[in-house]
Amino acid sequence: MKFGGTSVGSAVNIKGVEKIITEGARKIVVLSAMSGTTNSLVEIASKIKKEKNDEATQIVNKLREHYIKTANELFEAGNAVLAAENLLNSEFDILAEKTRCKYSDLLEKEIVVAGEIITTKMVTLYLKTRGINVQLLMAVNFMRTDNNGEPDYYYVKESINREIAQYPDCNLFITQGFICKTMKGETSNLTRGGSDYSATIIGAAINAEEVQIWSDKDGLLNCDPRYVDETYALTSISYEEAEELAFFGAKILHPSCVFPVKGLKIPIKLKNTMNPDAPGTLISSESTGKYGEIKALAAKDNITAIYIKSASMLNAFGFLSKIFNVFNMYKTSVDMITTSEVAVAVTINDTSHLDDIVRDLSKFGEIECVGNQTIVCAVGNIPAQQSSISVKIFEAMSDIPIKMISFGASKRNITMLIDGNDKSRALNNLNKTLFKEKLCSAKK
């Protein structure tokens, strides 16, 4: 079971988590940092980098006050509160010491993961004061990445099962999400949102019956509620559909979290901590719903389109390989690609090497870059011969310029590139057109 930052973001919410995790079978509980913590820790690292160490210390002290206030609301009066305050002060003293250090990438990673460590230690202590048999497992003892920065699945499996075996009489384990060690033994992380990833890596390592990801949503919604007024939670979705939605911007899932459990067919259940009785969304190997049905929409922002035009491309072989060698050289992934006889268009969302990429691509033709673009993706069971789906999509997008479109490479999505300023209008138009019947049913 994984609980996000909002789920453990207050004393009230932590007590709600307690009710959920102390029922049922043996389990490992993965916790994120309390909501807002990681943003503060990133800011602390940024201040140190700018040599504003005193300001970094001030942020640490403000964070300390917030956690101690939460502990006073969470723990019962007396020795339990004193023990919690001692624990938190000890952890924040360590963090404060780091603010007096010279900046390095390693120091930043050590600072950024502190939220998960402090939160899990506080919650574990709270559960113990409640008489619950619980054991804290430190993620750095089993979560490791290989030389490519990918999870070392064999090491994780051997290490976590060895850790659990030390406590045969314990049915509840707490650990940190997000945190890992490198092959060199240095502290690192699985990137923002990586607690989901931690949970499915652990789920695969212990061959769990199910992985549950608890957040403040009733499940995976058909569209982003920040941009669309009317949404509903999906009851079920396949691994492949979930992967597409996560990659193209669905915020409830880390883009890589499906992969570890997919091959083992371990289901993922998305649940709401604030509404635990809601059915949630089941992610499994089964694809449900009507044949040719769009299930959900996702959008990915901050996309840059690169247009490469070259007369020498006409009837030439090897042209595309030369282009992709450039992206490979700078370790930059391409999201979309379209081609014509004399032009290629691709999109990227990592622009850290954009100038170098453009310089090298200029050897092959005329280059144009357009920023502030958005990829909108419609995901479901969409065979290429299902023309009614494309008709509905073009109807919904009739007043919005489509810069690129990708359809046919996968039976799972139709992907379009639009100007970022048109995102909200596009999502609302598509939502009303594609999900009209289900929106009406949801209202009833």
Side-chain angles (χ1 to χ4, degrees):
M1 307 173 89
K2 174 261 174 176
F3 291 86
T6 306
S7 297
V8 291
S10 68
V12 170
N13 289 358
I14 291 171
K15 289 177 181 179
V17 170
E18 176 194 358
K19 291 179 182 179
I20 294 168
I21 67 177
T22 51
E23 296 177 354
R26 198 179 200 206
K27 59 183 70 69
I28 296 177
V29 176
V30 177
L31 299 183
S32 298
M34 286 178 62
S35 54
T37 302
T38 303
N39 288 339
S40 295
L41 294 171
V42 169
E43 187 180 0
I44 289 167
S46 176
K47 294 291 186 184
I48 297 170
K49 190 173 185 178
K50 296 173 183 175
E51 298 184 351
K52 297 180 179 180
N53 298 62
D54 290 342
E55 292 182 21
T57 304
Q58 290 173 12
I59 300 170
V60 170
N61 290 334
K62 189 177 293 185
L63 206 54
R64 184 198 301 258
E65 291 173 7
H66 175 62
Y67 271 75
I68 288 177
K69 181 177 182 292
T70 302
N72 276 274
E73 296 169 355
L74 180 62
F75 287 79
E76 296 179 3
N79 292 335
V81 173
L82 182 61
E85 288 183 350
N86 288 339
L87 168 70
L88 293 173
N89 279 319
S90 176
E91 293 296 323
F92 279 103
D93 285 346
I94 294 171
L95 189 57
E97 286 177 15
K98 293 184 187 297
T99 66
R100 294 189 284 273
C101 297
K102 185 175 177 60
Y103 176 84
S104 67
D105 288 340
L106 178 59
L107 179 68
E108 178 169 359
K109 288 178 180 177
E110 290 175 347
I111 290 171
V112 171
V113 302
E116 277 74 15
I117 294 171
I118 296 170
T119 300
T120 52
K121 286 186 175 182
M122 181 179 72
V123 171
T124 301
L125 179 61
Y126 166 69
L127 294 172
K128 285 184 175 180
T129 64
R130 299 275 293 162
I132 296 165
N133 183 14
V134 59
Q135 183 61 45
L136 178 65
L137 303 177
M138 298 301 291
V140 291
N141 292 337
F142 60 83
M143 190 65 72
R144 188 175 79 174
T145 54
D146 59 23
N147 288 327
N148 296 316
E150 297 296 327
D152 186 337
Y153 291 104
Y154 178 79
Y155 179 90
V156 174
K157 183 175 182 178
E158 292 295 308
S159 300
I160 194 168
N161 283 293
R162 186 167 56 247
E163 291 273 317
I164 294 168
Q166 298 178 51
Y167 310 100
D169 297 326
C170 184
N171 285 331
L172 180 61
F173 299 91
I174 304 286
T175 192
Q176 302 89 21
F178 183 57
I179 300 173
C180 64
K181 285 274 190 180
T182 65
M183 288 283 283
K184 295 178 181 179
E186 296 176 342
T187 300
S188 189
N189 61 70
L190 299 171
T191 72
R192 295 298 288 267
S195 292
D196 293 354
Y197 201 11
S198 297
T200 55
I201 293 167
I202 292 169
I206 63 170
N207 197 25
E209 291 180 7
E210 182 175 80
V211 174
Q212 296 179 359
I213 296 177
W214 293 74
S215 68
D216 57 353
K217 301 287 188 301
D218 280 343
L220 184 60
L221 302 181
N222 72 305
C223 205
D224 192 332
R226 295 173 301 174
Y227 301 96
V228 176
D229 293 332
E230 296 179 293
T231 61
Y232 58 88
L234 305 173
T235 56
S236 63
I237 196 167
S238 71
Y239 292 126
E240 291 79 10
E241 290 162 343
E243 284 176 316
E244 295 279 5
L245 288 169
F247 179 78
F248 285 110
K251 299 300 181 186
I252 199 169
L253 282 174
H254 185 281
S256 301
C257 78
V258 175
F259 176 76
V261 296
K262 182 179 175 182
L264 297 171
K265 294 187 177 181
I266 298 171
I268 302 171
K269 197 70 176 287
L270 307 180
K271 298 277 287 178
N272 189 346
T273 312
M274 289 67 176
N275 185 20
D277 293 331
T281 303
L282 179 67
I283 303 172
S284 70
S285 57
E286 300 297 321
S287 179
T288 59
K290 296 177 183 177
Y291 185 69
E293 178 185 46
I294 298 289
K295 289 190 175 179
L297 302 170
K300 194 173 185 178
D301 295 323
N302 302 315
I303 299 297
T304 296
I306 303 175
Y307 300 91
I308 307 141
K309 186 176 180 181
S310 174
S312 62
M313 180 182 169
L314 187 63
N315 296 325
F317 62 87
F319 190 85
L320 285 178
S321 68
K322 291 176 183 177
I323 289 173
F324 279 101
N325 279 338
V326 173
F327 291 100
N328 182 55
M329 187 187 310
Y330 296 106
K331 293 182 169 55
T332 302
S333 297
V334 169
D335 293 324
M336 290 180 69
I337 175 171
T338 61
T339 66
S340 72
E341 288 85 351
V342 295
V344 179
V346 300
T347 67
I348 61 173
N349 71 334
D350 177 4
T351 57
S352 54
H353 298 288
L354 181 60
D355 290 343
D356 295 323
I357 290 169
V358 169
R359 182 195 64 230
D360 289 359
L361 288 176
S362 297
K363 300 172 187 176
F364 309 121
E366 182 182 330
I367 310 299
E368 180 187 0
C369 292
V370 181
N372 188 34
Q373 303 293 285
T374 292
I375 290 175
V376 174
C377 185
V379 172
N381 182 7
I382 318 166
Q385 64 269 28
Q386 192 76 18
S387 60
S388 59
I389 294 294
S390 52
V391 168
K392 287 183 179 180
I393 286 175
F394 283 119
E395 177 189 334
M397 300 289 285
S398 60
D399 62 339
I400 297 170
I402 298 174
K403 310 292 187 67
M404 291 171 62
I405 187 165
S406 176
F407 179 38
S410 165
K411 294 181 180 179
R412 299 295 177 194
N413 75 68
I414 298 175
T415 308
M416 295 163 285
L417 183 74
I418 61 172
D419 190 278
N421 297 323
D422 292 328
K423 171 184 171 179
S424 181
R425 192 155 51 98
L427 289 176
N428 277 281
N429 287 359
L430 287 165
N431 189 53
K432 290 173 184 175
T433 303
L434 297 173
F435 308 123
K436 185 176 181 180
E437 292 180 9
K438 291 193 175 182
L439 289 171
C440 290
S441 298
K443 286 181 180 179
K444 292 177 183 177

